[in-house]
Amino acid sequence: MARKNRVSVYDGIYHVTARIANRAMLLAEDIIKDQILEWIVSVAAFSGVEVWSFAIMDNHLHLFVHVPPVPERYWLDPDDEPCAYAFGMRPPECRAPLWSPGGDCPQVPRPSLGFMLDDEEMLGRLVHLYGPDRAEAKGRTWELLREHGHGDQVDREKERYCRRMYNLSQYLKTLKERISMWYNDTYKHTGNLWEGRFYSGVVEKDAVVKTIVSAYIGYNPVKAKLVASPADWKWSSYALAVSGAGEHSGYCRRMYERMLGCPWEEVRMKLEAAYADRLPDSLTPEALKEMLDDYDDEDEKCSDGGGVYRASQAIRATMKLFSGAFIGRDKAFVQRAVAGLPERFPRAGTRSVRRCRAFRWELPEPLPSAA
């Protein structure tokens, strides 16, 4: 059966999860999570995406990813903005009959790239992908090719790299491939490492929604009873940012600041307030799970955000709360997002739009200070 197209939107924000096959705890060792942490950051630097927050669990990953538009300085035509975000709705290698000429299938021309990085910028990105030595060697090869009149060969290679940038599917493909190849080689593992495709849900840009989703990701280790506080799980962006130590702490703080547009200490107060919030006395975790599992997507009262849900309910909820194709408070954002997809790209069906969940989430007041 053909795979469904992903919903991919302009300047999109996504909650992403990727799970190990059979839910096996193959990522339990510290050295494995340390390596994955390195690749989450380095592959993002190559791809041009921003990983606002993340949590590396023993058998799955949570990522909160922003895919920005292609910067204008890279555009080939100043009047035609590239649509790189939509390239990976289904990887090109999986849709060869559509991209290839001839045949009985309706023909969809392969989208033009529309942007290109110069050699220096591209080599800087490749350092994050291959390391400095290999990137430097590739730079020398490109220089020789251009000197001998084979610059077109260099441009074709750079185009292949560009098609892996500013796109969620291509970022996750590169990240999961890196992890799989290293894990299989190190631990002599055979067969599929990952449980099928990664899940992604488009997240509304509302500050409350972004705070809730990020807090939910940071709370996962606590919910799994691995630690007592989100700040204790050292393989999450929140714990790294709070610690203030290590090479990735500064990166995590910058990502939180970009997410909410305020200094890290203010971001921390918002997240700590969400974590300090408590379930109402009349609501047990079991009752909360049952309530959310029984949620009716077609219920108009719920679909338009008729109920108000506290931060404590959202971040302690099961994954089902965040398993829709769209995550937000305003159902209209779904129609706006889908309407913005370029006509020349494959489009997701309307079922995801009809089943949108719009919850009116409520954040508590920030704590007076961040200790």
Side-chain angles (χ1 to χ4, degrees), residues 279 283-290 316:
L279 289 172
L283 183 62
T284 65
E286 293 75 20
L288 172 64
K289 180 180 184 302
E290 183 178 352
R316 288 160 176 76

Side-chain angles (χ1 to χ4, degrees), residues 166-225:
Y166 301 103
N167 180 272
L168 179 69
S169 291
Q170 294 301 321
Y171 167 69
L172 264 295
K173 178 183 177 183
T174 302
L175 176 62
K176 290 172 68 178
E177 282 180 347
R178 278 294 167 103
I179 297 171
S180 297
M181 289 189 294
W182 177 83
Y183 188 92
N184 291 347
D185 181 63
T186 303
Y187 294 92
K188 310 307 176 187
H189 178 269
T190 58
N192 292 332
L193 181 65
W194 300 99
E195 186 178 81
R197 305 171 74 191
F198 67 90
Y199 153 82
S200 63
V202 181
V203 180
E204 188 180 0
K205 294 182 179 180
D206 180 271
V208 171
V209 178
K210 291 189 290 187
T211 304
I212 287 286
V213 175
S214 183
Y216 169 82
I217 291 173
Y219 194 76
N220 262 261
V222 180
K223 194 164 57 176
K225 296 180 171 53

Side-chain angles (χ1 to χ4, degrees), residues 52-67:
W52 283 346
S53 64
F54 60 84
I56 306 170
M57 307 297 289
D58 289 346
N59 69 348
H60 66 282
L61 310 177
H62 281 277
L63 306 170
F64 195 22
V65 183
H66 172 224
V67 182

Side-chain angles (χ1 to χ4, degrees), residues 262-302:
C262 56
W264 157 245
E265 287 303 324
E266 188 174 338
V267 175
R268 181 177 177 181
M269 283 193 292
K270 292 178 183 293
L271 293 172
E272 286 187 345
Y275 292 137
D277 194 25
R278 293 290 180 264
L279 289 172
D281 294 337
S282 59
L283 183 62
T284 65
E286 293 75 20
L288 172 64
K289 180 180 184 302
E290 183 178 352
M291 177 180 69
L292 293 169
D293 284 346
D294 291 341
Y295 174 82
D296 184 357
D297 298 284
E298 303 301 329
D299 185 340
E300 287 300 321
K301 182 178 179 181
C302 292

Side-chain angles (χ1 to χ4, degrees), residues 67-364:
V67 182
V70 179
E72 192 170 352
R73 65 182 181 274
Y74 300 141
W75 298 6
L76 296 177
D77 183 346
D79 299 321
D80 187 11
E81 183 172 5
C83 301
Y85 69 94
F87 285 173
M89 291 173 66
R90 191 182 301 162
E93 60 269 26
C94 297
R95 47 185 303 113
L98 293 180
W99 299 137
S100 303
D104 299 328
C105 302
Q107 297 307 300
V108 178
R110 184 169 191 172
S112 60
L113 180 62
F115 73 99
M116 179 62 69
L117 279 63
D118 61 33
D119 287 7
E120 183 178 359
E121 177 73 18
M122 180 63 76
L123 291 171
R125 299 279 187 99
L126 293 182
V127 168
H128 298 289
L129 198 63
Y130 298 136
D133 293 341
R134 187 173 171 185
E136 183 179 349
K138 190 173 286 291
R140 291 195 297 268
T141 301
W142 286 357
E143 287 181 7
L144 290 173
L145 288 170
R146 292 196 186 280
E147 288 175 5
H148 291 83
H150 298 293
D152 57 334
Q153 183 176 333
V154 177
D155 292 339
R156 285 195 298 272
E157 184 176 359
K158 287 171 57 181
E159 180 177 343
R160 290 195 295 272
Y161 284 123
C162 284
R163 287 193 178 274
R164 298 168 61 183
M165 298 177 181
Y166 301 103
N167 180 272
L168 179 69
S169 291
Q170 294 301 321
Y171 167 69
L172 264 295
K173 178 183 177 183
T174 302
L175 176 62
K176 290 172 68 178
E177 282 180 347
R178 278 294 167 103
I179 297 171
S180 297
M181 289 189 294
W182 177 83
Y183 188 92
N184 291 347
D185 181 63
T186 303
Y187 294 92
K188 310 307 176 187
H189 178 269
T190 58
N192 292 332
L193 181 65
W194 300 99
E195 186 178 81
R197 305 171 74 191
F198 67 90
Y199 153 82
S200 63
V202 181
V203 180
E204 188 180 0
K205 294 182 179 180
D206 180 271
V208 171
V209 178
K210 291 189 290 187
T211 304
I212 287 286
V213 175
S214 183
Y216 169 82
I217 291 173
Y219 194 76
N220 262 261
V222 180
K223 194 164 57 176
K225 296 180 171 53
L226 298 173
V227 289
S229 165
D232 295 335
W233 186 253
K234 66 178 182 178
W235 298 284
S236 73
S237 55
Y238 178 74
L240 287 166
V242 168
S243 72
E247 59 179 312
H248 296 308
S249 176
Y251 170 85
C252 293
R253 290 188 177 189
R254 290 193 301 274
M255 290 299 102
Y256 278 117
E257 290 173 344
R258 291 188 188 183
M259 178 181 72
L260 294 182
C262 56
W264 157 245
E265 287 303 324
E266 188 174 338
V267 175
R268 181 177 177 181
M269 283 193 292
K270 292 178 183 293
L271 293 172
E272 286 187 345
Y275 292 137
D277 194 25
R278 293 290 180 264
L279 289 172
D281 294 337
S282 59
L283 183 62
T284 65
E286 293 75 20
L288 172 64
K289 180 180 184 302
E290 183 178 352
M291 177 180 69
L292 293 169
D293 284 346
D294 291 341
Y295 174 82
D296 184 357
D297 298 284
E298 303 301 329
D299 185 340
E300 287 300 321
K301 182 178 179 181
C302 292
S303 296
D304 64 4
V308 176
Y309 294 82
R310 289 173 53 170
S312 54
Q313 293 171 276
I315 66 176
R316 288 160 176 76
T318 63
M319 183 65 195
K320 181 155 184 162
L321 178 61
F322 296 89
S323 63
F326 298 90
I327 302 170
R329 296 203 300 175
D330 177 14
K331 196 168 184 178
F333 97 94
V334 181
Q335 281 79 8
R336 292 195 300 269
V338 176
L341 289 176
E343 290 293 338
R344 64 181 180 273
F345 289 94
R347 303 171 73 84
T350 58
R351 185 169 182 269
S352 296
V353 178
R354 291 199 307 269
R355 292 177 63 82
C356 167
R357 294 179 176 182
F359 289 94
R360 284 186 186 167
W361 287 326
E362 184 178 83
L363 283 173

